[in-house]
Amino acid sequence: MSKPACPHLRPQSDVEATLARVQNHKGVLGTVVVDNATGITLRTTLDEALTKQYADMIPDLGVLARNMVRDIDPMNDLEFLRIRSYKHEIMVAAKPDFTLIVIQDPAAASSL
């Protein structure tokens, strides 16, 4: 079996399987994956207007949070950001190449 050319990149089928697994969790309303270099939405399960809102705002918030963590401790880095409001819980996995945004209904998720 051959190894991928770039070991840090996962095969496309793994990415799709992971996103499907996340999307099937109880209370998940949608997912968005944004390319950090270009700001382009790579994957989404939301409508165009919501996708644009989340893709435009959340990566910038991730950068601010990452900078704050590094200002406090330069040897540390942001792994995950969780934002909870009355209506939604927004979970952000801020990676160097992309940002994964998961929008969840906190009431549905907590009634497991």
Side-chain angles (χ1 to χ4, degrees):
M1 185 174 191
S2 66
K3 292 184 178 179
C6 297
H8 66 283
L9 296 177
R10 297 174 71 183
Q12 193 69 16
S13 60
D14 285 355
V15 172
E16 294 299 331
T18 300
L19 288 174
R21 191 176 71 244
V22 168
Q23 185 64 39
N24 288 326
H25 278 267
K26 187 172 184 174
V28 171
L29 303 173
T31 57
V32 181
V33 180
V34 181
D35 182 289
N36 289 342
T38 63
I40 294 173
T41 301
L42 302 174
R43 299 270 188 290
T44 186
T45 60
L46 301 173
D47 65 47
E48 188 176 338
L50 276 176
T51 296
K52 181 165 177 32
Q53 281 184 318
Y54 284 108
D56 286 350
M57 294 183 198
I58 296 297
D60 291 340
L61 183 60
V63 169
L64 287 172
R66 172 173 275 132
N67 289 341
M68 183 205 64
V69 168
R70 287 182 177 167
D71 285 347
I72 292 170
D73 180 358
M75 299 304 293
N76 204 352
D77 199 4
L78 179 72
E79 293 269 332
F80 195 79
L81 177 65
R82 190 174 194 162
I83 306 156
R84 186 167 178 158
S85 69
Y86 289 115
K87 291 184 178 182
H88 298 111
E89 185 171 43
I90 304 165
M91 294 165 284
V92 183
K95 302 297 182 186
D97 298 332
F98 65 91
T99 299
L100 170 63
I101 305 163
V102 178
I103 300 90
Q104 183 171 295
D105 177 354
S110 65
S111 65
L112 294 174

